[in-house]
Amino acid sequence: MTPNRTPKEVREYQTPAHGVFFTVERTLFKGRSRYQKIELIQNASFGRVLLLDGLVQTTDKDEFFYHEMLVHPALALHPAPRNVLIIGGGDGGALREVLRHPVRKAWLCEIDGRVIEVCRRYYPWLRRDLADPRAELVVADGNDFIASTGDRFDVVLVDSSDPVGPSTVLHEKAFYARLKGLLKPNGIIAAQAGALLYHQDQHRRKYRFLKTMFRQAAFYLCPVPTYPGGMWCFVYLSDAVPPLKSKRRAIPSGLKYYNAEIHEAAFALPNFFLKTLGRLR
Ligand code: SAM
């Protein structure tokens, strides 16, 4: 790169006045599905970067923060997670983490078959994991799937995009009510819940209904350097298993971020967020 030449780059505006950019070493895929614009680029610092409708979904360098924290808190707390449903998650990172546990079956319900096609081509773990006899791929709207499935789940993980387009429905009360009806005894739901700094209206709105629906409804946090604001929220929901005082099962070896201490720390929330949730005056 010469100092005077502007390199080709992709930008995500996280607010109208702020954002992140990635210089493009190579465009691996650029196209449009029925649902969204899909781009996969190669960046010198972050490796492969997947963007949907211009929003960063996952990068090679920091995906482990998000995927480990979406999956392992719930799976480590459940006394015997056998049936696990992932809604969204077409990049396969959540499925990869689920299959580290001795589950009986893991459903991956992704609305966009094109995302699966592209990720299967470029992410070796997705090729490997979809061939695992425990994995079942369902290409469908998660909301429709849960309305029609006869299966019941120990853990449901909502690895959705932010509440725009087809994933809007996955952030609503009716969706959580339906999911709750599909949980087996001791069932747990963990869902990605947006940026700590930028999505406070959503957090307030969601917490208001979730705390009336589940005995245990808690937000937890982890850093994701390339996501808006750098700090990401998840919700943990269960009627039976508290997020902190339960006995944890063995944590799979080889993880990069999650461990028992991180688990405890992740549920500690800063004061401004407690205020957002109405838990501090
Ligand atoms: N880690 C990501 C984030 O927060 O940016 C989420 C990644 S994952 C790629 C999100 C996936 O959810 C996308 O592939 C999208 O196609 C899928 N999705 C969106 N709405 C959906 C729906 N209603 N049912 C199932 N999958 C959906």
Side-chain angles (χ1 to χ4, degrees):
M1 186 173 63
T2 57
N4 293 332
R5 205 175 122 236
T6 308
K8 194 176 161 208
E9 60 189 37
V10 290
R11 292 171 182 222
E12 175 184 344
Y13 281 88
Q14 300 180 345
T15 75
H18 167 77
V20 291
F21 72 90
F22 295 91
T23 56
V24 179
E25 271 193 328
R26 233 160 15 109
T27 299
L28 302 171
F29 180 85
K30 192 169 185 173
R32 178 164 270 292
S33 71
R34 188 176 149 200
Y35 298 101
Q36 53 212 343
K37 188 170 121 195
I38 304 170
E39 285 171 278
L40 187 64
I41 61 130
Q42 181 74 34
N43 171 265
S45 303
F46 280 82
R48 286 161 297 195
V49 180
L50 174 70
L51 300 105
L52 297 179
D53 283 340
L55 304 180
V56 174
Q57 303 291 309
T58 190
T59 83
D60 281 346
K61 197 177 179 78
D62 68 355
E63 58 86 15
F64 66 92
F65 290 94
Y66 173 90
H67 289 125
E68 290 189 13
M69 288 303 283
L70 174 65
V71 171
H72 299 301
L75 276 138
L77 285 171
H78 193 285
R82 313 232 338 122
N83 284 7
V84 179
L85 168 64
I86 302 162
I87 294 181
D91 53 73
L95 178 64
R96 182 195 64 215
E97 296 306 317
V98 167
L99 293 178
R100 290 182 192 271
H101 294 260
V103 300
R104 188 185 69 82
K105 188 156 179 191
W107 289 257
L108 178 66
C109 176
E110 160 65 54
I111 198 170
D112 195 339
R114 201 81 199 276
V115 171
I116 297 278
E117 236 173 72
V118 173
C119 293
R120 204 202 283 254
R121 192 174 336 145
Y122 290 101
Y123 293 134
W125 59 78
L126 187 57
R127 274 199 297 280
R128 179 199 64 208
D129 292 342
L130 288 177
D132 188 309
R134 295 173 296 164
E136 180 170 328
L137 173 65
V138 180
V139 177
D141 184 321
N143 196 42
D144 295 342
F145 176 72
I146 63 169
S148 59
T149 181
D151 288 299
R152 294 294 176 268
F153 306 99
D154 299 303
V155 174
V156 179
L157 303 164
V158 187
D159 187 8
S160 65
S161 341
D162 293 342
V164 280
S167 80
T168 308
V169 69
L170 309 181
H171 296 264
E172 297 303 322
K173 184 175 182 182
F175 169 74
Y176 282 95
R178 219 173 240 169
L179 272 191
K180 184 177 154 105
L182 297 183
L183 290 179
K184 296 212 234 180
N186 291 323
I188 299 173
I189 298 169
Q192 78 93 351
L196 175 64
L197 202 55
Y198 296 138
H199 297 147
Q200 291 185 46
D201 288 347
Q202 285 176 40
H203 299 141
R204 193 178 297 111
R205 180 185 70 84
K206 242 184 211 168
Y207 189 61
R208 220 174 269 147
F209 64 75
L210 290 174
K211 71 180 182 197
T212 67
M213 298 171 72
F214 294 89
R215 272 190 216 119
Q216 305 289 338
F219 275 82
Y220 65 98
L221 305 175
C222 90
V224 185
T226 56
Y227 281 2
M231 197 70 170
W232 212 246
C233 301
F234 300 84
V235 284
Y236 173 97
L237 307 166
S238 179
D239 272 344
V241 184
L244 287 173
K245 298 214 173 78
S246 311
K247 193 168 170 290
R248 274 193 298 273
R249 294 177 325 111
I251 294 172
S253 60
L255 301 185
K256 287 185 177 167
Y257 186 73
Y258 179 79
N259 58 35
E261 289 72 29
I262 289 283
H263 183 111
E264 302 295 315
F267 286 87
L269 303 179
N271 285 347
F272 77 88
F273 191 40
L274 290 170
K275 280 190 184 169
T276 299
L277 301 179
R279 289 176 46 199
L280 185 70
R281 295 175 68 86

mmCIF file of all heavy atoms in Angstrom, residues 1-9 21-25 43-45:
data_model
loop_
_atom_site.group_PDB
_atom_site.id
_atom_site.type_symbol
_atom_site.label_atom_id
_atom_site.label_comp_id
_atom_site.label_asym_id
_atom_site.label_seq_id
_atom_site.Cartn_x
_atom_site.Cartn_y
_atom_site.Cartn_z
ATOM 1 N N MET A 1 0.851 -1.197 0.000
ATOM 2 C CA MET A 1 0.000 0.000 0.000
ATOM 3 C C MET A 1 0.889 1.250 0.000
ATOM 4 O O MET A 1 1.825 1.344 0.780
ATOM 5 C CB MET A 1 -0.891 -0.011 1.242
ATOM 6 C CG MET A 1 -1.893 1.093 1.254
ATOM 7 S SD MET A 1 -3.053 0.934 2.634
ATOM 8 C CE MET A 1 -1.984 1.080 4.049
ATOM 9 N N THR A 2 0.612 2.178 -0.871
ATOM 10 C CA THR A 2 1.375 3.433 -0.851
ATOM 11 C C THR A 2 0.594 4.447 -0.027
ATOM 12 O O THR A 2 -0.641 4.381 0.046
ATOM 13 C CB THR A 2 1.557 3.973 -2.285
ATOM 14 O OG1 THR A 2 0.278 4.141 -2.852
ATOM 15 C CG2 THR A 2 2.387 3.034 -3.139
ATOM 16 N N PRO A 3 1.280 5.396 0.604
ATOM 17 C CA PRO A 3 0.590 6.320 1.504
ATOM 18 C C PRO A 3 -0.510 7.140 0.827
ATOM 19 O O PRO A 3 -1.490 7.509 1.454
ATOM 20 C CB PRO A 3 1.699 7.245 2.000
ATOM 21 C CG PRO A 3 2.979 6.626 1.594
ATOM 22 C CD PRO A 3 2.721 5.602 0.555
ATOM 23 N N ASN A 4 -0.374 7.395 -0.482
ATOM 24 C CA ASN A 4 -1.348 8.269 -1.140
ATOM 25 C C ASN A 4 -2.573 7.540 -1.686
ATOM 26 O O ASN A 4 -3.524 8.175 -2.101
ATOM 27 C CB ASN A 4 -0.685 9.020 -2.310
ATOM 28 C CG ASN A 4 0.337 9.987 -1.769
ATOM 29 O OD1 ASN A 4 0.177 10.457 -0.646
ATOM 30 N ND2 ASN A 4 1.380 10.235 -2.528
ATOM 31 N N ARG A 5 -2.494 6.211 -1.698
ATOM 32 C CA ARG A 5 -3.582 5.476 -2.327
ATOM 33 C C ARG A 5 -4.601 5.054 -1.273
ATOM 34 O O ARG A 5 -4.247 4.492 -0.245
ATOM 35 C CB ARG A 5 -3.008 4.226 -3.003
ATOM 36 C CG ARG A 5 -3.876 3.761 -4.132
ATOM 37 C CD ARG A 5 -3.217 2.589 -4.846
ATOM 38 N NE ARG A 5 -4.128 1.469 -4.782
ATOM 39 C CZ ARG A 5 -3.824 0.297 -4.274
ATOM 40 N NH1 ARG A 5 -2.634 0.052 -3.794
ATOM 41 N NH2 ARG A 5 -4.722 -0.650 -4.254
ATOM 42 N N THR A 6 -5.857 5.358 -1.496
ATOM 43 C CA THR A 6 -6.879 4.903 -0.551
ATOM 44 C C THR A 6 -7.177 3.437 -0.876
ATOM 45 O O THR A 6 -7.571 3.131 -2.003
ATOM 46 C CB THR A 6 -8.179 5.712 -0.722
ATOM 47 O OG1 THR A 6 -7.821 7.071 -0.670
ATOM 48 C CG2 THR A 6 -9.175 5.379 0.362
ATOM 49 N N PRO A 7 -6.954 2.520 0.085
ATOM 50 C CA PRO A 7 -7.217 1.115 -0.231
ATOM 51 C C PRO A 7 -8.718 0.860 -0.332
ATOM 52 O O PRO A 7 -9.514 1.612 0.229
ATOM 53 C CB PRO A 7 -6.627 0.381 0.966
ATOM 54 C CG PRO A 7 -6.622 1.375 2.063
ATOM 55 C CD PRO A 7 -6.551 2.736 1.453
ATOM 56 N N LYS A 8 -9.069 -0.209 -1.024
ATOM 57 C CA LYS A 8 -10.476 -0.591 -1.092
ATOM 58 C C LYS A 8 -10.895 -1.030 0.317
ATOM 59 O O LYS A 8 -10.139 -1.744 0.987
ATOM 60 C CB LYS A 8 -10.592 -1.758 -2.070
ATOM 61 C CG LYS A 8 -11.996 -2.042 -2.497
ATOM 62 C CD LYS A 8 -12.003 -3.150 -3.534
ATOM 63 C CE LYS A 8 -13.388 -3.731 -3.587
ATOM 64 N NZ LYS A 8 -13.388 -5.115 -4.004
ATOM 65 N N GLU A 9 -12.046 -0.604 0.763
ATOM 66 C CA GLU A 9 -12.446 -0.972 2.124
ATOM 67 C C GLU A 9 -13.958 -1.145 2.236
ATOM 68 O O GLU A 9 -14.701 -0.662 1.374
ATOM 69 C CB GLU A 9 -11.950 0.074 3.128
ATOM 70 C CG GLU A 9 -12.482 1.468 2.876
ATOM 71 C CD GLU A 9 -11.813 2.522 3.743
ATOM 72 O OE1 GLU A 9 -10.602 2.422 3.996
ATOM 73 O OE2 GLU A 9 -12.514 3.447 4.170
ATOM 74 N N PHE A 21 -13.954 0.166 9.833
ATOM 75 C CA PHE A 21 -13.685 -0.166 8.433
ATOM 76 C C PHE A 21 -12.689 -1.313 8.368
ATOM 77 O O PHE A 21 -11.909 -1.532 9.296
ATOM 78 C CB PHE A 21 -13.155 1.054 7.671
ATOM 79 C CG PHE A 21 -11.745 1.430 8.031
ATOM 80 C CD1 PHE A 21 -10.669 0.891 7.341
ATOM 81 C CD2 PHE A 21 -11.491 2.322 9.069
ATOM 82 C CE1 PHE A 21 -9.362 1.218 7.684
ATOM 83 C CE2 PHE A 21 -10.196 2.659 9.413
ATOM 84 C CZ PHE A 21 -9.120 2.104 8.723
ATOM 85 N N PHE A 22 -12.765 -2.045 7.294
ATOM 86 C CA PHE A 22 -11.811 -3.126 7.026
ATOM 87 C C PHE A 22 -11.273 -2.920 5.613
ATOM 88 O O PHE A 22 -12.080 -2.796 4.674
ATOM 89 C CB PHE A 22 -12.502 -4.496 7.081
ATOM 90 C CG PHE A 22 -13.027 -4.854 8.436
ATOM 91 C CD1 PHE A 22 -14.335 -4.511 8.799
ATOM 92 C CD2 PHE A 22 -12.244 -5.541 9.349
ATOM 93 C CE1 PHE A 22 -14.823 -4.836 10.047
ATOM 94 C CE2 PHE A 22 -12.733 -5.866 10.602
ATOM 95 C CZ PHE A 22 -14.028 -5.511 10.966
ATOM 96 N N THR A 23 -9.971 -2.873 5.466
ATOM 97 C CA THR A 23 -9.446 -2.843 4.100
ATOM 98 C C THR A 23 -9.638 -4.235 3.497
ATOM 99 O O THR A 23 -9.594 -5.245 4.213
ATOM 100 C CB THR A 23 -7.958 -2.440 4.074
ATOM 101 O OG1 THR A 23 -7.241 -3.339 4.904
ATOM 102 C CG2 THR A 23 -7.770 -1.024 4.568
ATOM 103 N N VAL A 24 -9.873 -4.254 2.204
ATOM 104 C CA VAL A 24 -10.185 -5.523 1.535
ATOM 105 C C VAL A 24 -8.937 -6.022 0.811
ATOM 106 O O VAL A 24 -8.498 -5.422 -0.166
ATOM 107 C CB VAL A 24 -11.331 -5.331 0.511
ATOM 108 C CG1 VAL A 24 -11.650 -6.633 -0.194
ATOM 109 C CG2 VAL A 24 -12.567 -4.760 1.199
ATOM 110 N N GLU A 25 -8.383 -7.107 1.322
ATOM 111 C CA GLU A 25 -7.268 -7.750 0.601
ATOM 112 C C GLU A 25 -7.817 -8.491 -0.603
ATOM 113 O O GLU A 25 -7.247 -8.486 -1.674
ATOM 114 C CB GLU A 25 -6.612 -8.788 1.519
ATOM 115 C CG GLU A 25 -5.520 -8.257 2.377
ATOM 116 C CD GLU A 25 -4.728 -9.420 2.988
ATOM 117 O OE1 GLU A 25 -5.290 -10.505 3.263
ATOM 118 O OE2 GLU A 25 -3.535 -9.227 3.186
ATOM 119 N N ASN A 43 -9.325 -9.697 5.258
ATOM 120 C CA ASN A 43 -8.688 -8.494 5.793
ATOM 121 C C ASN A 43 -7.372 -8.890 6.462
ATOM 122 O O ASN A 43 -7.296 -9.942 7.110
ATOM 123 C CB ASN A 43 -9.640 -7.834 6.805
ATOM 124 C CG ASN A 43 -8.981 -6.705 7.579
ATOM 125 O OD1 ASN A 43 -8.474 -6.900 8.683
ATOM 126 N ND2 ASN A 43 -8.991 -5.522 7.010
ATOM 127 N N ALA A 44 -6.362 -8.036 6.316
ATOM 128 C CA ALA A 44 -5.026 -8.400 6.788
ATOM 129 C C ALA A 44 -4.969 -8.568 8.307
ATOM 130 O O ALA A 44 -4.192 -9.365 8.815
ATOM 131 C CB ALA A 44 -4.018 -7.350 6.332
ATOM 132 N N SER A 45 -5.790 -7.840 9.066
ATOM 133 C CA SER A 45 -5.732 -7.951 10.529
ATOM 134 C C SER A 45 -6.730 -8.956 11.084
ATOM 135 O O SER A 45 -6.444 -9.639 12.066
ATOM 136 C CB SER A 45 -6.041 -6.613 11.191
ATOM 137 O OG SER A 45 -5.168 -5.639 10.739
#
